[in-house]
Amino acid sequence: MKKLEEVFETWEAVIGLEIHAELTTLNTKMFCGCKLEFGAEPNTHTCPVCLGLPGALPVPNKAAIESIVLAGLATNCDIEKHSMFYRKNYMYPDMAKNFQTTQGPVAFCMRGHLDLDVDGPAARERYRLDDLGVGESDGNITRTEDGYVAHVGITRIHMEEDAGKMVHVGGGEGRIAGATHSLVDYNRAGTPLIELVTEPDLRTPEEARLFMQKLRQIYLAIGISDCSMEEGSLRCDGNVSLRRRGAKEFGTKTELKNMNSFKNLHDGLAYEICRQAEVLEEGGVIYQETRHWDPSAKRTIVMRVKETADDYRLFPEPDLAPYDLTDAFIERVRAKLPELPDQKARRFEEAFGLSAYDARHLVEHRETSRFFEACMEAAGGEAAKLAKPVANLIINDVTAYLNAEGVALAATPLSPARAVELVRLQASDAISSKQARQVFAAVLAEDKDPEAIVEERGMKQVSDTGAIEAVVAEVIAANPDEVARYKDGNTKVIGFFVGQCMKKMRGQGNPKVINELLARRLAE
Ligand SMILES: [Zn+2]
């Protein structure tokens, strides 16, 4: 099979996403008063409504409607004041009602968009990006200094409910094939679920991954879901098709399931693009089907041939009146919108003079953005001066440490005050950058303040010009031959002098000051 970059020379991928989020922060289900609780004893949170018993009548959860309107406002959607619930009919044991209550052609949220900043290695997946100059646009993307911005349309966000959970017993790895029997837990049945559908505006697996990441940041910021991809409260399906570069019409798409991490989303899409290219180049046909990404085998396998909307016989739910949202309700929800990640990044740029890149990476996780703000508070009057080095410390060293150790920032001995102290020591030339890395490691390993570590280890870098001047004079006096070589034009000898000075100062001299003083003395 060809590699993705080879495939992209001939083919353009067209990707759309369908992202389901369970509204886990609510107390009760979508159409009944049953409690929402993950991991409870099976079938302890059920009632006639979520079990679909005859005569039971649903009542919409107002807090869930608030959540979806909040999601729509945060993703630049138009909020539709008049919409309805529909029945999507299907028969499967995980839904006792034999239909899922969902929305029809008009959803609560329509016509939104998100702008993605794609930079670094992620930008390299885009075919011939370098043909564009900075500021130039092509289709939905605009070239930036270090990558591009992609404008991605959101078709809609609609309200629906989750099904129950099935457990297959007796087969391999909980699969239905080979199982002797299946169990159903209806605790999850009726959990409020919102589904966001994008326009087919994405062109690379990285763009899909970044979209999902950005949406997750937004949902976490507005507090509507815990967005756990592992536990399935945030789930993503991808629609992929290929067309020849330059072609306008779409190819046949397949739907990809089981992409329950950012890596799986990227890798599953990348594989499927390469698979489709191979089929098409060998003269084969792509079937409209649902495929399952198997991360361990690194391939996609057919689950079922795609059903069409007709198969579900979608029709208006007779037990729920059409829903009317008032302006007052929408404005009340709008007033609850918190600062969103993009707004926070812009504030960091303006208030602290950070680059767009630094600001964006700081707001990627709530944990790091909160830590950065706490550092700026701890830095007091020096906030603007220390912002850039603090941001560097968080984006590089802290993030690398957290990823390697798999721990939360709050669980480490690194407090905002300690981070600021460390950065201040380096900024004032009291320690070198190499020493700063050692102190950083020691703070985490020994749970001590940076000052104390520097003191204990006698690390303090000497920047006092008087002390360094004496050493410089000594070294110059002791090496007349080298001085002569320097004066003959061999300026590389300065490295020898710096080495000698450093040796005399047991590595604690400030190299910048030593270099400056040496250059001045040797030029005399
Ligand atoms: Zn119930």
Side-chain angles (χ1 to χ4, degrees), residues 79-84 103 106-108 322-325:
I79 305 302
E80 291 287 349
K81 287 191 204 158
H82 310 288
S83 63
M84 288 170 68
Q103 291 199 282
V106 179
F108 283 119
Y323 214 90
D324 283 321
L325 297 178

Side-chain angles (χ1 to χ4, degrees), residues 28-103:
T28 56
K29 293 188 181 180
M30 188 61 223
F31 298 109
C32 62
C34 288
K35 199 173 162 212
L36 283 181
E37 188 185 2
F38 182 82
E41 190 70 21
N43 296 309
T44 49
H45 298 310
T46 60
C47 75
V49 173
C50 54
L51 289 176
L53 301 186
L57 287 174
V59 179
N61 180 340
K62 196 173 169 191
I65 311 282
E66 265 188 41
S67 293
I68 193 172
V69 170
L70 203 54
L73 293 171
T75 52
N76 311 297
C77 289
D78 295 336
I79 305 302
E80 291 287 349
K81 287 191 204 158
H82 310 288
S83 63
M84 288 170 68
F85 285 104
Y86 281 66
R87 290 185 176 188
K88 185 176 171 181
N89 293 275
Y90 73 94
M91 156 48 208
Y92 202 67
D94 64 358
M95 185 59 97
K97 299 195 295 183
N98 282 355
F99 62 84
Q100 179 192 36
T101 308
T102 179
Q103 291 199 282

Side-chain angles (χ1 to χ4, degrees), residues 163-236:
K165 191 173 172 352
M166 293 194 64
V167 181
H168 306 296
V169 185
E173 283 176 52
R175 275 191 302 238
I176 193 163
T180 53
H181 58 287
S182 298
L183 304 168
V184 198
D185 174 8
Y186 288 110
N187 282 351
R188 200 179 66 180
T191 297
L193 200 62
I194 60 173
E195 177 177 353
L196 179 147
V197 181
T198 74
E199 292 290 305
D201 286 345
L202 301 157
R203 293 290 173 270
T204 71
E206 281 293 355
E207 289 173 18
R209 187 179 65 79
L210 288 168
F211 185 91
M212 184 73 171
Q213 259 179 1
K214 182 154 194 173
L215 186 69
R216 184 171 182 272
Q217 287 166 23
I218 291 172
Y219 282 179
L220 286 172
I222 61 177
I224 58 168
S225 173
D226 64 8
C227 294
S228 164
M229 292 178 79
E230 273 168 27
E231 287 173 359
S233 54
L234 188 67
R235 311 194 277 265
C236 182

Side-chain angles (χ1 to χ4, degrees), residues 25 77 128 151 209 217 237 240 245 274 291 314 353 365 384 417 425 434 480 483 495:
T25 54
C77 289
R128 293 179 72 171
H151 182 87
R209 187 179 65 79
Q217 287 166 23
D237 301 333
V240 202
R245 290 231 162 258
C274 297
R291 301 180 69 92
L314 208 67
H365 301 283
L425 283 167
K434 192 175 151 201
V483 174

Side-chain angles (χ1 to χ4, degrees), residues 450-506:
E451 279 278 14
I453 292 161
V454 167
E455 207 63 46
E456 262 175 36
R457 303 192 177 186
M459 273 176 153
K460 232 167 196 161
Q461 175 170 265
V462 179
S463 300
D464 169 27
T465 339
I468 295 177
E469 211 146 8
V471 177
V472 165
E474 220 177 294
V475 169
I476 286 179
N479 298 284
D481 294 352
E482 305 297 331
V483 174
R485 281 174 61 196
Y486 182 86
K487 296 205 163 167
D488 281 347
N490 186 354
T491 50
K492 280 185 190 156
V493 194
I494 197 145
F496 164 79
F497 288 111
V498 174
Q500 291 297 307
C501 293
M502 271 299 203
K503 210 165 146 193
K504 280 198 177 297
M505 302 186 74
R506 295 199 314 279

